[in-house]
Amino acid sequence: MNRRTARITVVVWLKLFRQAVMRDLQFRSQVWLHLCASIGELAVGILPVLILTSFIGTDSSVRQAAALAVGVFAFTTGLMDCFVSPGLRRFDSAIRKGELDLAMIRPVPTFFYAVLRWIQPSELGRCVSGAAVVVVAASAFDLGSGAKALVALIVWALAGTVAYCAFWADLALLAFWVRSIEPVNDLAAAWRGAGQYPRLFFPRTVQIVLVSFAPAALIGSFPGEQLLRPTAALLLAPVVVVGSCSVTALIWRFGLVRYDSASS
């Protein structure tokens, strides 16, 4: 991508975001409904965690990890559902109805226009509620986390969001080879729910999958753990981002080679 294309892409994205905000402001009742739904979804998500941790005994570290995982999970999924997942859910329809053909003739990267233009700003309310849960949990448990732990949490939350979006995109790009991927989208949305539970709830093999191949833990429990036990794994965050995006870019290129048009 040259400098001119990058500049146009940024300008287009800003205009798309502004258009999305203006659209939501025109339907204020719908915005409030989305905000209430996001808070309700957070409450529903935290209930099973509270139920599970109530049977763990008096181990406070488990309760701390559970509360932080739920808060980080709400924040990262809010970002995903605002900027990325709406477009990924529409991707198979874009291929079948010819919308991808129109995206290819735009003066911006095709993947960007096909996937990242369906912005839903009201989902950002979940980010606010998730951040509030993390702050309240940190204060309630008197974690006293330093700057290093806070930076590690933020970096891994953002890196995990990118990694899981890339994983979901890898599944969505199967639309180049199969007729419909709606069940795959449902699977990706359901699988990420594992990220709101502490990793110690899962067997060792599942934990490895949750931080590598299908990185649901990276959008919840793993970043939350950084407030409790900061590690040197922060250096791996750029590797995770570059590696996951590279795999997605490779699948995208193979898919475009196979794709002709909606009319073929």
Side-chain angles (χ1 to χ4, degrees), residues 23-42 120-126 129:
R23 181 189 65 236
D24 280 0
L25 290 177
Q26 290 178 353
F27 301 95
R28 294 179 180 84
S29 60
Q30 183 178 356
V31 174
W32 286 110
L33 180 62
H34 276 286
L35 291 175
C36 293
S38 65
I39 296 174
E41 185 177 349
L42 177 62
Q120 297 183 0
S122 57
E123 296 293 342
L124 291 176
R126 205 183 315 160
S129 57

Side-chain angles (χ1 to χ4, degrees), residues 182-221:
E182 184 175 352
V184 175
N185 283 321
D186 293 338
L187 173 63
W191 177 261
R192 73 178 185 178
Q196 65 185 323
Y197 300 99
R199 285 193 299 155
L200 58 85
F201 283 8
F202 301 95
R204 181 65 178 174
T205 303
V206 178
Q207 291 185 37
I208 295 174
V209 174
L210 288 173
V211 296
S212 56
F213 173 71
L218 297 185
I219 60 173
S221 58

Side-chain angles (χ1 to χ4, degrees), residues 22-101:
M22 295 302 294
R23 181 189 65 236
D24 280 0
L25 290 177
Q26 290 178 353
F27 301 95
R28 294 179 180 84
S29 60
Q30 183 178 356
V31 174
W32 286 110
L33 180 62
H34 276 286
L35 291 175
C36 293
S38 65
I39 296 174
E41 185 177 349
L42 177 62
V44 171
I46 201 173
L47 280 177
V49 179
L50 293 175
I51 293 172
L52 288 172
T53 54
S54 65
F55 291 96
I56 300 299
T58 58
D59 189 352
S60 61
S61 63
V62 176
R63 294 190 176 91
Q64 294 170 5
L68 292 172
V70 170
V72 176
F73 178 81
F75 181 85
T76 55
T77 53
L79 288 178
M80 278 197 275
D81 291 344
C82 174
F83 297 109
V84 182
S85 60
L88 292 176
R89 288 184 177 276
R90 295 170 180 259
F91 188 74
D92 61 335
S93 175
I95 289 181
R96 287 185 279 107
K97 296 181 179 180
E99 295 178 11
L100 186 62
D101 298 348

